[in-house]
């Protein structure tokens, strides 16, 4: 009976947390709270959450070491950029090389362009996946990394479609933060449902032991391609949202270093933990901003401290990463999901320890 | 139920199985014994479709399944309990069982209950990660997982490998029990003594060829088998 009441409380806590979250975002959104900077950082965190969770589906749950996330994001981002910029602004943007006459006529609503971007990403993932997913571990990582670079170079050179290295400006901005948070909640929910379905179990079986999974009648190749394509779909969606948040895209944004941000997030959160990934996305995105004061010159007691200059932030960040890999190899949550049981048991352990200490005194 | 005719399997240029003929009648326990490298595991893996044969035929319930994909073979009712257990270590016991029933569309609650009846230990530990089970429990899980596909023929690759003698006895009891419930069993063992005692029929495999066959009892008494596999005492 006590157990049941406890469970009931937990449900109540969940609802309260959800309401607080919705209220907080709405307050921000209606400008009762925070400023544009905070809104922007949190929206970016929401986008990073979508992409990281999709990457975790591929890397953490299916066990495919793929580093192509930046490439898939680029596909989604450019689809949104190409199709949502108002027609009258096109000529001013494509002033060096004219836009492809067919594309120059097409304007799509944001939602359609966003989904198209995701689908295009998934299609490319299937085409690449068919040869590449026969590879394993580090070979797969190299192949997907190469793919992501190929996408970037195509974007730089297909000038009549992408405006080359100049990028595309003037992507309409979103009127509300809820676009990002709504899509985030939807994507995470869909991925969680997928992971808990029989497909999700098959993905995990492949991660654990390919031979045993095959002996159970799981089609390895089909499931790998499926996971890869679904991951690419959500990365494409994330890329599309990023394009509309920033209002501009250019090929340099999608360097392979971008993929490392997501890799860092899923390693920090725990490979194979959705809740860990969500938490880590916010920690990393906000952390990267908070650490920004390391990039500015600092004068302490009349001394100009020499290390504080542009780029030092990344040194600190790398050091944190090394500490993480050395001491918390499983990340925040490992393969577990955050639950009330976990939180209460953690607190219980703490109070127990305190009691023990008290007893010793 | 299962007929193997003149099966040859090559790994690259090396031939591992050189033309074996054997048959597994319905509802029986058939065992394949032999030393390391005799080709036992290769034979099983070929039947399961994990390895493609270079020539020969495998016929299951009157249907030629030679060279078919593993998925089709599992769907037809042959499952493999792989060597060294190979449970999904970071998944719970229950998840492991559910993956075993991956190809089944209908409700699997009954099968889960049946497996738990057969292995009460697994029920106690259904929320535990498979990697935290003991070796014997993992073997139970591997067998239970294979049963979840509702197989007609279950093939076991060295189920006694690396287990304590007492637990090995338990595993062989379970094999007999599964057989009594109506499942045909093809068993591969290095522990020839135990395997021949439970088997209705046995084959002895040496470097890719079948050198002897007979009922379990016949082989147990056979001098050559005793010398080579049972470690007969020549005191």
């Amino acid at each position: 009976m006590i157990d049941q009441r406890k469970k009931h409380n937990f449900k109540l806590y969940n609802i309260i947390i959800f309401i607080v979250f919705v209220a907080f975002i709405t307050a921000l959104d209606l400008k009762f709270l925070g400023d544009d900077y905070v809104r922007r950082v949190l929206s970016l965190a929401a986008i990073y959450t979508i992409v990281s969770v999709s990457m975790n589906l591929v890397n953490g749950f299916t066990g495919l070491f793929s580093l192509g996330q930046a490439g898939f994001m680029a596909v989604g981002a450019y689809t949104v950029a190409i199709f949502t910029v108002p027609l009258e602004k096109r000529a001013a943007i494509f002033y060096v090389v004219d836009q492809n006459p067919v594309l120059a006529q097409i304007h799509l609503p944001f939602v359609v362009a966003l989904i198209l971007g995701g689908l295009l990403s998934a299609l490319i993932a299937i085409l690449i996946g068919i040869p590449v997913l026969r590879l394993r571990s580090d070979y797969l990582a190299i192949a997907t990394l190469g793919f992501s670079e190929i996408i970037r170079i195509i974007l730089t050179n297909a000038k009549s479609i992408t405006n080359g290295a100049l990028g595309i400006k003037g992507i309409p901005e979103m009127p509300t933060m809820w676009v990002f948070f709504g899509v985030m909640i939807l994507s995470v929910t869909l991925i969680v449902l997928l992971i808990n379905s029989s497909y999700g179990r098959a993905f995990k079986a492949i991660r654990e032991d390919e031979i045993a999974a095959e002996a159970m009648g799981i089609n390895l190749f089909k499931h790998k391609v499926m996971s890869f394509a679904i991951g690419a779909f959500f990365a494409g969606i994330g890329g599309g949202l990023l394009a509309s948040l920033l209002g501009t895209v250019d090929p340099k944004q999608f360097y392979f270093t971008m993929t490392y941000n997501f890799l860092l997030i899923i390693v920090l959160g725990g490979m194979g933990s959705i809740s860990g990934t969500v938490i880590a996305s916010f920690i990393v995105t906000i952390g990267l901003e908070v650490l920004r004061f390391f990039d500015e010159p600092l004068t302490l007691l009349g001394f100009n401290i020499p290390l504080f200059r542009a780029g030092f932030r990344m040194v600190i960040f790398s050091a944190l990463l090394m500490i993480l890999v050395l001491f918390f190899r499983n990340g925040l949550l490992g393969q577990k999901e955050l639950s009330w049981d976990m939180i209460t048991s953690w607190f219980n352990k703490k109070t127990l320890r305190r009691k023990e200490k008290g007893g010793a005194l | 139920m299962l007929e193997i005719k003149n099966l040859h399997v090559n790994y690259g240029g090396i031939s591992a199985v050189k033309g074996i003929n054997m048959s597994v009648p319905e509802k029986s326990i058939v065992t394949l014994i032999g030393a390391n490298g005799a080709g036992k595991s290769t034979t099983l893996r070929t039947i399961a479709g994990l390895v493609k044969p270079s020539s020969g035929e495998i016929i299951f319930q009157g249907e030629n399944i030679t060279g078919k994909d593993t998925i089709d073979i599992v769907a037809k009712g042959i499952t493999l309990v792989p060597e060294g257990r190979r449970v999904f270590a970071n998944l719970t016991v229950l998840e492991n069982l559910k993956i075993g029933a991956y190809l089944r569309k209908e409700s699997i609650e009954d099968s889960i209950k049946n497996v738990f009846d057969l292995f009460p230990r697994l029920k106690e530990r259904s929320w535990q990660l498979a990697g935290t089970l003991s070796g014997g429990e993992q073997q139970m899980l591997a067998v239970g997982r294979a049963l979840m596909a509702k197989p007609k023929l279950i093939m076991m690759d060295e189920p006694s490998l690396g287990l304590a003698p007492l637990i090995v006895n338990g595993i062989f009891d379970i094999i007999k029990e599964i057989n009594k419930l109506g499942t045909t069993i093809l068993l591969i063992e290095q522990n020839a003594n135990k395997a021949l005692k439970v088997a209705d029929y046995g084959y002895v495999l040496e470097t890719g060829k079948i050198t002897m066959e007979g009922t379990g009892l016949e082989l147990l008494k056979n001098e050559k088998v005793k010398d080579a596999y049972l470690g007969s005492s020549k005191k």
Side-chain angles (χ1 to χ4, degrees):
Chain A
M1 243 185 61
I2 294 165
D3 259 351
Q4 232 166 23
R5 200 192 307 156
K6 251 188 191 169
K7 266 190 188 139
H8 189 75
N9 274 346
F10 289 155
K11 212 176 219 175
L12 193 72
Y13 292 163
N14 284 339
I15 293 168
I16 290 171
I17 285 182
F18 188 73
I19 291 171
V20 168
F21 169 77
V22 169
F24 176 66
I25 301 298
T26 313
L28 274 171
D29 197 37
L30 297 174
K31 306 193 177 168
F32 288 140
L33 212 72
D35 50 25
D36 278 347
Y37 176 61
V38 173
R39 273 189 277 283
R40 215 178 161 77
V41 171
L42 287 181
S43 301
L44 190 68
I47 294 171
Y48 272 31
T49 305
I50 298 170
V51 180
S52 310
V53 169
S54 79
M55 189 167 174
N56 209 344
L57 173 71
V58 179
N59 290 33
F61 286 93
T62 322
L64 304 168
F65 191 24
S66 151
L67 294 176
Q69 231 57 11
F72 294 123
M73 279 182 84
V75 173
Y78 267 87
T79 313
V80 166
I82 290 165
F83 291 112
T84 62
V85 172
L87 290 176
E88 64 273 12
K89 280 193 194 165
R90 301 269 175 105
I93 294 168
F94 287 82
Y95 64 88
V96 178
V97 178
D98 281 340
Q99 193 179 15
N100 182 307
V102 181
L103 290 177
Q105 304 296 321
I106 305 173
H107 179 267
L108 295 175
F110 174 70
V111 177
V112 179
L114 188 66
I115 292 171
L116 184 70
L119 291 177
L120 208 60
S121 244
L123 180 73
I124 291 174
I126 292 170
L127 292 178
I128 299 174
I130 288 170
V132 157
L133 289 177
R134 296 181 193 280
L135 302 172
R136 270 162 213 243
S137 61
D138 33 0
Y139 300 102
L140 178 65
I142 292 164
T144 46
L145 198 63
F147 146 76
S148 152
E149 283 298 281
I150 289 170
I151 292 273
R152 194 175 60 79
I153 286 158
I154 290 174
L155 292 176
T156 316
N157 290 297
K159 287 187 180 134
S160 71
I161 300 170
T162 64
N163 204 22
L166 294 170
I168 298 175
K169 290 184 276 289
I171 303 161
E173 283 187 26
M174 288 298 116
T176 152
M177 278 170 80
W178 273 113
V179 174
F180 307 111
F181 279 90
V183 177
M184 176 190 99
I185 292 169
L186 190 69
S187 324
V188 173
T189 311
L190 286 176
I191 291 180
V192 167
L193 288 177
L194 176 74
I195 285 165
N196 291 329
S197 73
S198 71
Y199 289 116
R201 271 198 298 277
F203 292 163
K204 285 188 254 181
I206 292 172
R207 171 192 71 194
E208 294 295 317
D209 191 324
E210 292 200 356
I211 293 171
E214 199 179 5
M216 297 297 108
I218 293 168
N219 186 334
L220 296 183
F221 189 59
K222 189 182 109 190
H223 282 90
K224 283 182 182 177
V225 172
M226 190 197 273
S227 162
F228 197 55
I230 294 171
F233 175 81
F234 285 108
I237 297 277
L241 292 174
L242 186 68
S244 80
L245 177 71
L246 301 178
T248 159
V249 289
D250 77 86
K252 273 203 198 108
Q253 288 169 345
F254 301 103
Y255 259 129
F256 59 86
T257 46
M258 184 172 213
T259 304
Y260 294 150
N261 282 337
F262 303 118
L263 189 64
L264 166 63
I265 289 170
I266 60 175
V267 171
L268 174 65
M271 293 275 230
S273 169
I274 295 289
S275 43
T277 309
V278 174
I279 295 167
S281 299
F282 280 85
I283 292 180
V284 169
T285 322
I286 295 168
L288 272 173
E289 293 303 319
V290 171
L291 290 177
R292 224 171 250 286
F293 79 89
F294 285 109
D295 273 4
E296 282 150 23
L298 181 75
T299 314
L300 206 66
L301 303 171
F303 259 119
N304 197 350
I305 296 177
L307 276 174
F308 282 68
R309 63 181 67 167
F312 187 51
R313 175 174 67 126
M314 294 319 285
V315 176
I316 301 276
F317 210 63
S318 315
L320 289 177
L321 189 60
M322 276 193 256
I323 291 169
L324 175 78
V325 172
L326 282 174
F327 297 107
F328 303 97
R329 205 162 296 165
N330 291 326
L332 290 172
L333 293 175
Q335 291 191 346
K336 298 189 198 81
E337 295 296 344
L338 191 66
S339 65
W340 286 109
D341 287 342
M342 189 191 272
I343 295 169
T344 46
S345 74
W346 189 70
F347 273 110
N348 285 346
K349 234 185 259 166
K350 243 188 166 181
T351 46
L352 257 180
R353 213 175 291 153
R354 203 169 299 153
K355 267 183 200 160
E356 273 166 18
K357 265 188 195 162
L361 281 168
Chain B
M1 187 179 215
L2 183 78
E3 290 286 337
I4 295 172
K5 289 177 189 162
N6 199 19
L7 186 75
H8 289 260
V9 186
N10 295 335
Y11 286 123
I14 303 149
S15 64
V17 174
K18 303 163 186 161
I20 64 170
N21 291 292
M22 58 187 284
S23 78
V24 182
E26 191 142 4
K27 306 225 155 99
S28 62
I29 302 181
V30 173
T31 183
L32 194 58
I33 58 173
N36 279 334
K40 305 183 305 274
S41 291
T42 306
T43 309
L44 275 209
R45 291 169 60 83
T46 313
I47 299 170
L50 293 165
V51 178
K52 303 283 176 244
S54 47
S55 72
E57 276 186 341
I58 303 166
I59 291 159
F60 181 63
Q61 293 189 316
E63 197 180 342
N64 192 343
I65 58 164
T66 322
K68 283 223 160 97
D69 284 334
T70 309
I71 305 146
D72 302 323
I73 291 169
V74 174
K76 286 203 164 47
I78 302 180
T79 53
L80 174 70
V81 181
E83 184 176 359
R85 307 186 277 273
R86 287 184 177 267
V87 293
F88 303 116
N90 286 312
L91 303 183
T92 64
V93 169
L94 196 63
E95 279 178 306
N96 267 274
L97 292 179
K98 283 182 178 171
I99 289 167
Y102 179 74
L103 284 177
R104 288 175 54 194
K105 298 280 182 288
E106 75 274 15
S107 165
I108 56 170
E109 296 302 318
D110 285 356
S111 302
I112 292 177
K113 202 183 151 286
N114 289 343
V115 171
F116 283 162
D117 286 347
L118 203 58
F119 305 105
R121 273 299 255 295
L122 294 184
K123 189 175 186 179
E124 285 166 30
R125 298 177 181 227
S126 61
W127 292 105
Q128 216 169 305
L129 295 184
T132 64
L133 300 179
S134 73
E137 287 162 346
Q138 287 189 16
Q139 187 64 56
M140 289 177 199
L141 180 58
V143 174
R145 187 178 63 182
L147 285 173
M148 288 297 294
K150 267 196 175 171
K152 293 170 189 138
L153 171 67
I154 185 165
M155 304 190 291
M156 301 191 191
D157 196 346
E158 308 244 8
S160 74
L161 191 74
L163 298 179
L166 208 63
I167 294 163
V168 171
N169 288 341
I171 293 284
F172 278 97
D173 287 344
I174 285 158
I175 292 172
K176 274 191 262 179
E177 204 171 330
I178 293 169
N179 179 246
K180 262 187 210 145
L181 294 170
T183 313
T184 315
I185 293 171
L186 176 55
L187 179 66
I188 279 187
E189 263 299 337
Q190 285 199 42
N191 190 340
N193 191 13
K194 284 256 154 42
L196 289 173
K197 271 181 190 156
V198 299
D200 299 315
Y201 205 78
Y203 293 89
V204 179
L205 199 60
E206 268 173 41
T207 56
K209 283 180 184 145
I210 286 176
T211 51
M212 262 178 277
E213 59 180 282
T215 63
L217 232 61
E218 277 170 27
L219 288 178
L220 265 179
K221 285 179 186 154
N222 185 303
E223 286 301 320
K224 274 190 198 160
V225 175
K226 270 189 189 167
D227 278 351
Y229 302 108
L230 303 177
S232 63
S233 43
K234 288 179 181 169
K235 281 172 197 167

